Each structure stands twice: as structure tokens, then as C-alpha cells.
Amino acid sequence: MFTGIVEEMGRVRGVSVGDDGGCEMTVEASIVLDDVKLGDSIAVNGTCLTVTAFDAAAFTVGLSPETLRRTSLGEVSTGSQVNLERSLQPSSRMGGHFVQGHVDGTGTIVSMEPEGNSLWIKVRASPDLLKYIVPKGYIAVDGTSLTVVDVIDEESSFTFMLVGFTQQKVVIPGKAVGNRVNLEVDILGKYVERMLQGYAVPAARS
């Protein structure tokens, strides 16, 4: 479990492709390496990944074929910056919202418009994801906990704003129109939908 409050931006040192269709990624970092252990979970651009190796300056994680299909991590390369966050501890402050690190899919940036020192961003998402996105609700974009400003159903898109401070702390402003971002919708919407659907009762046999 994570909060969506990015602790630092790391730099991809290298990516190697495995025979199984997955790959390994090594990320240079500092803050998230504090008390790191093998098997720990670190969110990389919002994707919960397991540490398989580390040294004083970097850590390595494995990316399965399913992770590469579901997220935008297959597009990162040596030198790419990524958002990093360690998993939540019982004593941690809950500064964002409940983020599982289970990316639901990707969206595409369709516009980036400055307003003062803030930045408006519009992202196009699939209808399957958009139905869980509501104005003033939470969403994790590349692992960053953000408040949705508006949902434009006819454009299958939503908007959010990054203030100047946040722009300096996350990777989203460094992306461009047409780039993909990882999206994780608020889990509460899924639970509500499931409860409203109810459960099918098997027909009695005659």
C-alpha cells in the first residue's frame, strides 16, 4: 500500500530484457534506499515492484510481461526519470490517498497548458477507467496522488492541475503531449460497483 506522495525521482540506470518476455530495471535513487531490504516493495511510476537486488546507489526490480502490457514502464529507457515511493508503514502519515500500486491501465496526455505557475493537464482514458473517475475525486497518475478537476465524458478524458511545487517533485511535467501515463483509479469506486451489482444466486435444480 502507498500514499501517492512521491518521495523522490529516480534515474533509470539500465534495462535488460529476459528470455521470458519480461525484463529487469535498475534505478538510481537515494531516499528510497534508506533501510531497503530484498523483497521490499517500491512503487515505480505507480507500479508496485519487488526489490531483487540493491547497492548503495541503486536498486533492481523485475518487470513481468503482464506488467509491461498493463503499464507504460516498457517505454522507459536508460536515463529516464521515474517517480519513486516506498510502501506505507503503520506509523506513516497518510498524506495522499490509498494507492495499491496495481496500475489499472494507461492514459494519454492530450494537452498541457500553463496558468500562472500551475500546469493544467488533460489525459484521455478508456471508458472502462473513466467510469471510476469523478470530479474532486482521487486518482494516481504515474503514482502521484492527484485531485481530478473535471471529467469530459464526450472526450473520454479528465483534467488535473499541478502547482509549482509539485511540478518540481514528479515526472509528469517532463512528459509531452502524446506520452502515456500510468493510471490507478480510486479502489472505493470498484467496491461500490461490486456491491451494487450483488451476487448471482445459482438457480435451484429441479
Side-chain angles (χ1 to χ4, degrees):
M1 186 70 74
F2 305 89
T3 67
I5 303 301
V6 175
E7 294 188 272
E8 66 174 320
M9 289 187 288
R11 178 184 176 275
V12 176
R13 176 186 289 177
V15 180
S16 60
V17 180
D19 296 333
D20 62 351
C23 65
E24 282 193 336
M25 179 169 60
T26 299
V27 181
E28 296 174 350
S30 57
I31 295 174
V32 300
L33 292 175
D34 183 31
D35 71 10
V36 68
K37 299 180 294 296
L38 292 178
D40 280 358
S41 296
I42 294 179
V44 180
N45 278 359
T47 308
C48 179
L49 299 172
T50 301
V51 176
T52 59
F54 66 91
D55 58 28
F59 66 93
T60 299
V61 292
L63 303 174
S64 69
E66 172 63 13
T67 299
L68 295 174
R69 286 190 293 266
R70 177 76 66 169
T71 74
S72 64
L73 289 178
E75 299 172 5
V76 303
S77 58
T78 300
S80 295
Q81 287 190 307
V82 288
N83 290 332
L84 302 175
E85 182 191 355
R86 290 168 292 184
S87 57
L88 187 64
Q89 296 181 340
S91 59
S92 302
R93 296 183 65 183
M94 191 64 194
H97 72 284
F98 289 119
V99 177
Q100 293 182 297
H102 302 160
V103 173
D104 293 301
T106 61
T108 302
I109 298 174
V110 293
S111 67
M112 305 175 76
E113 301 289 342
E115 181 180 342
N117 69 341
S118 297
L119 183 65
W120 281 98
I121 299 179
K122 181 187 290 186
V123 174
R124 183 171 60 248
S126 69
D128 287 344
L129 292 183
L130 200 68
K131 66 180 180 179
Y132 298 113
I133 302 173
V134 297
K136 308 308 177 187
Y138 287 119
I139 190 166
V141 180
D142 275 346
T144 305
S145 176
L146 297 166
T147 302
V148 176
V149 176
D150 198 10
V151 178
I152 308 97
D153 289 313
E154 60 271 21
E155 298 180 14
S156 192
S157 63
F158 66 94
T159 62
F160 59 89
M161 177 176 276
L162 297 176
V163 298
F165 177 81
T166 304
Q167 291 176 51
Q168 300 173 29
K169 302 297 181 180
V170 301
V171 301
I172 301 170
K175 295 195 171 186
V177 171
N179 286 171
R180 291 199 302 160
V181 290
N182 291 330
L183 301 177
E184 182 185 332
V185 299
D186 191 347
I187 187 77
L188 294 179
K190 295 180 181 178
Y191 281 129
V192 171
E193 180 184 56
R194 180 63 171 165
M195 288 186 291
L196 291 176
Q197 288 175 343
Y199 293 90
V201 179
R205 294 184 177 180
S206 57

